[in-house]
Short mmCIF file of all heavy atoms in Angstrom, two decimals:
data_model
loop_
_atom_site.label_atom_id
_atom_site.label_comp_id
_atom_site.label_asym_id
_atom_site.label_seq_id
_atom_site.Cartn_x
_atom_site.Cartn_y
_atom_site.Cartn_z
N ALA S 1 89.33 94.09 111.88
CA ALA S 1 89.43 94.79 113.16
C ALA S 1 88.17 95.61 113.45
O ALA S 1 87.72 95.70 114.60
CB ALA S 1 90.65 95.71 113.16
N ALA S 2 87.57 96.17 112.40
CA ALA S 2 86.41 97.04 112.57
C ALA S 2 85.20 96.31 113.12
O ALA S 2 84.33 96.93 113.74
CB ALA S 2 86.06 97.70 111.24
N VAL S 3 85.11 94.99 112.92
CA VAL S 3 83.92 94.26 113.31
C VAL S 3 84.17 93.24 114.43
O VAL S 3 83.24 92.60 114.91
CB VAL S 3 83.29 93.52 112.10
CG1 VAL S 3 82.91 94.53 111.03
CG2 VAL S 3 84.25 92.48 111.52
N GLU S 4 85.42 93.10 114.85
CA GLU S 4 85.75 92.11 115.88
C GLU S 4 85.31 92.59 117.26
O GLU S 4 85.61 93.72 117.66
CB GLU S 4 87.26 91.84 115.88
CG GLU S 4 87.72 90.83 116.92
CD GLU S 4 87.05 89.48 116.76
OE1 GLU S 4 87.15 88.89 115.66
OE2 GLU S 4 86.42 89.03 117.74
N ILE S 5 84.57 91.74 118.01
CA ILE S 5 84.10 92.16 119.33
C ILE S 5 84.89 91.52 120.46
O ILE S 5 84.87 92.03 121.59
CB ILE S 5 82.60 91.88 119.50
CG1 ILE S 5 82.29 90.40 119.38
CG2 ILE S 5 81.78 92.70 118.53
CD1 ILE S 5 80.83 90.07 119.71
N ASP S 6 85.59 90.43 120.21
CA ASP S 6 86.44 89.84 121.25
C ASP S 6 87.65 90.76 121.46
O ASP S 6 88.40 91.01 120.51
CB ASP S 6 86.91 88.45 120.85
CG ASP S 6 87.84 87.83 121.88
OD1 ASP S 6 87.33 87.35 122.90
OD2 ASP S 6 89.06 87.86 121.66
N GLN S 7 87.84 91.25 122.68
CA GLN S 7 88.84 92.28 122.92
C GLN S 7 90.26 91.79 122.66
O GLN S 7 91.09 92.52 122.12
CB GLN S 7 88.74 92.81 124.36
CG GLN S 7 89.54 94.07 124.62
CD GLN S 7 89.17 95.22 123.68
OE1 GLN S 7 88.00 95.52 123.46
NE2 GLN S 7 90.17 95.87 123.11
N THR S 8 90.56 90.55 123.00
CA THR S 8 91.90 90.03 122.77
C THR S 8 92.21 89.93 121.28
O THR S 8 93.26 90.38 120.81
CB THR S 8 92.06 88.65 123.43
OG1 THR S 8 91.82 88.77 124.84
CG2 THR S 8 93.45 88.10 123.20
N THR S 9 91.27 89.36 120.54
CA THR S 9 91.46 89.25 119.09
C THR S 9 91.50 90.62 118.44
O THR S 9 92.29 90.88 117.53
CB THR S 9 90.32 88.41 118.47
OG1 THR S 9 90.26 87.14 119.13
CG2 THR S 9 90.53 88.20 116.99
N ARG S 10 90.64 91.51 118.93
CA ARG S 10 90.57 92.87 118.40
C ARG S 10 91.92 93.57 118.55
O ARG S 10 92.42 94.21 117.63
CB ARG S 10 89.47 93.61 119.16
CG ARG S 10 88.99 94.91 118.53
CD ARG S 10 87.72 95.37 119.23
NE ARG S 10 87.18 96.54 118.57
CZ ARG S 10 87.16 97.76 119.09
NH1 ARG S 10 87.61 97.95 120.32
NH2 ARG S 10 86.67 98.76 118.41
N THR S 11 92.51 93.47 119.74
CA THR S 11 93.79 94.11 120.00
C THR S 11 94.88 93.55 119.08
O THR S 11 95.70 94.30 118.54
CB THR S 11 94.20 93.92 121.47
OG1 THR S 11 93.23 94.55 122.32
CG2 THR S 11 95.57 94.53 121.75
N LYS S 12 94.88 92.24 118.88
CA LYS S 12 95.87 91.62 117.99
C LYS S 12 95.73 92.15 116.56
O LYS S 12 96.72 92.38 115.87
CB LYS S 12 95.72 90.10 118.01
CG LYS S 12 96.19 89.46 119.32
CD LYS S 12 96.02 87.94 119.27
CE LYS S 12 96.49 87.29 120.56
NZ LYS S 12 96.28 85.81 120.55
N LEU S 13 94.50 92.32 116.10
CA LEU S 13 94.28 92.83 114.76
C LEU S 13 94.78 94.26 114.62
O LEU S 13 95.40 94.62 113.60
CB LEU S 13 92.79 92.74 114.40
CG LEU S 13 92.27 91.33 114.10
CD1 LEU S 13 90.74 91.32 114.07
CD2 LEU S 13 92.83 90.82 112.76
N TYR S 14 94.50 95.10 115.62
CA TYR S 14 95.00 96.48 115.55
C TYR S 14 96.51 96.52 115.64
O TYR S 14 97.16 97.37 114.99
CB TYR S 14 94.35 97.34 116.64
CG TYR S 14 92.97 97.82 116.25
CD1 TYR S 14 91.83 97.25 116.80
CD2 TYR S 14 92.81 98.81 115.28
CE1 TYR S 14 90.56 97.67 116.41
CE2 TYR S 14 91.55 99.23 114.88
CZ TYR S 14 90.44 98.65 115.45
OH TYR S 14 89.19 99.07 115.06
N ASP S 15 97.12 95.62 116.41
CA ASP S 15 98.58 95.52 116.44
C ASP S 15 99.12 95.21 115.04
O ASP S 15 100.06 95.87 114.55
CB ASP S 15 99.02 94.42 117.40
CG ASP S 15 98.90 94.81 118.86
OD1 ASP S 15 98.57 95.98 119.13
OD2 ASP S 15 99.14 93.95 119.73
N GLU S 16 98.52 94.20 114.41
CA GLU S 16 98.97 93.78 113.08
C GLU S 16 98.77 94.90 112.07
O GLU S 16 99.65 95.16 111.22
CB GLU S 16 98.18 92.53 112.65
CG GLU S 16 98.63 91.92 111.35
CD GLU S 16 97.80 90.70 110.94
OE1 GLU S 16 96.86 90.33 111.69
OE2 GLU S 16 98.08 90.14 109.86
N TRP S 17 97.64 95.58 112.16
CA TRP S 17 97.32 96.68 111.23
C TRP S 17 98.35 97.79 111.35
O TRP S 17 98.86 98.31 110.34
CB TRP S 17 95.91 97.19 111.52
CG TRP S 17 95.47 98.34 110.67
CD1 TRP S 17 95.07 98.29 109.37
CD2 TRP S 17 95.38 99.71 111.07
NE1 TRP S 17 94.73 99.55 108.93
CE2 TRP S 17 94.90 100.44 109.96
CE3 TRP S 17 95.63 100.39 112.26
CZ2 TRP S 17 94.69 101.81 110.00
CZ3 TRP S 17 95.42 101.76 112.30
CH2 TRP S 17 94.96 102.45 111.19
N GLN S 18 98.71 98.15 112.57
CA GLN S 18 99.66 99.25 112.76
C GLN S 18 101.08 98.87 112.33
O GLN S 18 101.82 99.70 111.80
CB GLN S 18 99.67 99.70 114.22
CG GLN S 18 98.41 100.46 114.61
CD GLN S 18 98.43 100.83 116.08
OE1 GLN S 18 98.80 101.93 116.44
NE2 GLN S 18 98.03 99.88 116.93
N LYS S 19 101.45 97.63 112.56
CA LYS S 19 102.78 97.20 112.12
C LYS S 19 102.90 97.29 110.60
O LYS S 19 103.93 97.71 110.06
CB LYS S 19 103.07 95.78 112.62
CG LYS S 19 103.30 95.70 114.12
CD LYS S 19 103.44 94.27 114.60
CE LYS S 19 103.61 94.19 116.10
NZ LYS S 19 103.68 92.78 116.59
N LYS S 20 101.84 96.88 109.91
CA LYS S 20 101.82 97.01 108.45
C LYS S 20 101.82 98.48 108.04
O LYS S 20 102.47 98.87 107.06
CB LYS S 20 100.58 96.31 107.89
CG LYS S 20 100.60 94.79 107.98
CD LYS S 20 101.55 94.20 106.95
CE LYS S 20 101.47 92.69 106.94
NZ LYS S 20 102.44 92.10 105.97
N LEU S 21 101.08 99.30 108.78
CA LEU S 21 101.03 100.74 108.51
C LEU S 21 102.43 101.35 108.64
O LEU S 21 102.86 102.16 107.80
CB LEU S 21 100.06 101.41 109.47
CG LEU S 21 99.62 102.84 109.17
CD1 LEU S 21 98.64 102.86 108.01
CD2 LEU S 21 98.97 103.46 110.40
N ASN S 22 103.15 100.95 109.68
CA ASN S 22 104.51 101.44 109.87
C ASN S 22 105.42 101.07 108.71
O ASN S 22 106.29 101.85 108.30
CB ASN S 22 105.11 100.87 111.16
CG ASN S 22 104.55 101.52 112.42
OD1 ASN S 22 103.85 102.53 112.35
ND2 ASN S 22 104.86 100.94 113.56
N ALA S 23 105.25 99.86 108.20
CA ALA S 23 106.14 99.35 107.16
C ALA S 23 105.81 99.85 105.77
O ALA S 23 106.70 100.07 104.94
CB ALA S 23 106.13 97.82 107.18
N GLU S 24 104.52 100.04 105.47
CA GLU S 24 104.09 100.31 104.10
C GLU S 24 103.39 101.65 103.89
O GLU S 24 103.29 102.13 102.76
CB GLU S 24 103.14 99.20 103.63
CG GLU S 24 103.73 97.81 103.67
CD GLU S 24 102.71 96.74 103.30
OE1 GLU S 24 101.71 97.08 102.62
OE2 GLU S 24 102.90 95.58 103.70
N GLY S 25 102.87 102.23 104.96
CA GLY S 25 102.06 103.43 104.81
C GLY S 25 102.89 104.70 104.77
O GLY S 25 104.10 104.69 105.04
N PRO S 26 102.27 105.82 104.42
CA PRO S 26 102.98 107.09 104.35
C PRO S 26 103.13 107.78 105.71
O PRO S 26 103.81 108.81 105.81
CB PRO S 26 102.10 107.92 103.43
CG PRO S 26 100.73 107.37 103.62
CD PRO S 26 100.90 105.91 103.90
N PHE S 27 102.50 107.23 106.77
CA PHE S 27 102.46 107.90 108.06
C PHE S 27 103.51 107.36 109.02
O PHE S 27 103.80 106.16 109.04
CB PHE S 27 101.10 107.69 108.73
CG PHE S 27 99.93 108.18 107.91
CD1 PHE S 27 99.12 107.27 107.24
CD2 PHE S 27 99.65 109.52 107.82
CE1 PHE S 27 98.04 107.71 106.49
CE2 PHE S 27 98.57 109.97 107.07
CZ PHE S 27 97.76 109.06 106.40
N THR S 28 104.03 108.24 109.86
CA THR S 28 104.90 107.84 110.96
C THR S 28 104.58 108.69 112.19
O THR S 28 104.64 109.92 112.12
CB THR S 28 106.39 108.02 110.60
OG1 THR S 28 106.68 107.28 109.41
CG2 THR S 28 107.28 107.52 111.73
N GLY S 29 104.23 108.02 113.30
CA GLY S 29 103.97 108.74 114.53
C GLY S 29 105.27 109.31 115.10
O GLY S 29 106.29 108.62 115.15
N LEU S 30 105.24 110.57 115.52
CA LEU S 30 106.42 111.24 116.08
C LEU S 30 106.36 111.33 117.60
O LEU S 30 107.28 110.89 118.29
CB LEU S 30 106.58 112.62 115.48
CG LEU S 30 106.83 112.68 113.97
CD1 LEU S 30 106.85 114.12 113.48
CD2 LEU S 30 108.13 111.97 113.61
N PHE S 31 105.29 111.90 118.14
CA PHE S 31 105.18 112.01 119.59
C PHE S 31 103.76 112.41 119.99
O PHE S 31 102.98 112.91 119.18
CB PHE S 31 106.18 113.03 120.16
CG PHE S 31 105.98 114.45 119.68
CD1 PHE S 31 105.19 115.35 120.39
CD2 PHE S 31 106.60 114.90 118.53
CE1 PHE S 31 105.02 116.65 119.95
CE2 PHE S 31 106.44 116.20 118.07
CZ PHE S 31 105.63 117.08 118.80
N GLN S 32 103.44 112.15 121.24
CA GLN S 32 102.25 112.70 121.88
C GLN S 32 102.73 113.80 122.81
O GLN S 32 103.48 113.54 123.76
CB GLN S 32 101.51 111.63 122.69
CG GLN S 32 100.89 110.54 121.85
CD GLN S 32 100.45 109.35 122.69
OE1 GLN S 32 100.76 108.20 122.36
NE2 GLN S 32 99.73 109.60 123.78
#
């Protein structure tokens, strides 16, 4: 994701990264 310049592919990678973060990481977003 850090090096991808195509915006569509880039967005998909960040989507995938966050879904994994939600499932496995210690962080959970609460609110803005």
Side-chain angles (χ1 to χ4, degrees):
V3 300
E4 179 58 56
I5 61 173
D6 178 79
Q7 192 56 47
T8 300
T9 305
R10 195 169 185 249
T11 298
K12 289 180 179 178
L13 286 167
Y14 279 105
D15 285 355
E16 185 182 0
W17 178 75
Q18 288 178 97
K19 289 174 183 177
K20 289 286 186 183
L21 193 74
N22 285 350
E24 301 175 23
F27 302 104
T28 303
L30 297 175
F31 62 92
Q32 293 167 229

